[in-house]
């Protein structure tokens, strides 16, 4: 997983890719609850699963953009850099999750996460 994130994100070092994975999985662990959280953890490598599952879910879930801004504030990076990190990590997570689980995850999260996972944000017409 780490090497895939490093390649997809064009990170110069393994340590930089690892920092991005840790930051984003910690954040996702604070947003995701229920069976989807358990199933996703089961599909991740053990260390990544521990990072995700080791977080206490937030009481108030964040939209996708608020998620990126929260990670930027926690890491001290710019929102643009954090958006890159988030997309690099979550695209890999999406592949590991598979399409069915990813659809269920996205249905549980507030708006704005689909693009972070590399999917189009689909909405129903009024």
């Amino acid at each position: 997983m780490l090497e895939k994130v490093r390649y997809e994100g064009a990170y110069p070092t393994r340590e930089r890719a690892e920092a991005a994975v840790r930051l984003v999985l910690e954040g996702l662990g604070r947003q995701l609850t229920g069976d989807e959280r358990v199933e996703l953890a089961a599909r991740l490598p053990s260390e990544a699963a521990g990072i995700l599952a080791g977080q206490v879910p937030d009481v108030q879930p964040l939209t996708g953009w608020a998620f990126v801004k929260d990670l930027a504030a926690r890491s001290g990076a710019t929102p643009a850099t954090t958006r890159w990190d988030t997309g690099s990590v979550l695209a890999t997570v999406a592949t590991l999750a598979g399409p069915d689980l990813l659809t269920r995850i996205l249905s549980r999260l507030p708006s704005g996460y689909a693009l972070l996972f590399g999917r189009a944000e689909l909405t129903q017409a009024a």
Side-chain angles (χ1 to χ4, degrees):
M1 175 182 177
L2 189 56
E3 285 305 314
K4 184 167 173 49
V5 169
R6 182 176 177 195
Y7 176 78
E8 295 295 328
Y11 295 110
T13 65
R14 183 177 175 90
E15 292 76 22
R16 179 65 185 91
E18 188 173 343
V21 168
R22 180 169 294 282
L23 175 72
V24 174
L25 288 181
E26 285 173 353
L28 186 60
R30 291 189 295 273
Q31 299 303 307
L32 194 57
T33 61
D35 292 340
E36 291 77 15
R37 177 185 169 115
V38 173
E39 287 182 47
L40 179 58
R43 295 182 189 193
L44 295 175
S46 60
E47 188 174 341
I51 294 168
L52 177 83
Q55 304 305 306
V56 175
D58 287 343
V59 176
Q60 183 65 37
L62 301 172
T63 64
W65 179 237
F67 176 74
V68 171
K69 289 193 311 188
D70 178 66
L71 294 181
R74 289 172 186 268
S75 68
T78 66
T81 299
T82 305
R83 170 60 181 91
W84 179 267
D85 291 346
T86 303
S88 298
V89 174
L90 292 183
T92 300
V93 169
T95 301
L96 293 170
D100 294 337
L101 177 56
L102 181 57
T103 298
R104 290 181 20 234
I105 288 170
L106 291 173
S107 73
R108 300 220 21 157
L109 292 170
S111 68
Y113 282 87
L115 288 174
L116 298 175
F117 279 98
R119 269 201 183 171
E121 184 87 36
L122 302 176
T123 58
Q124 289 184 324

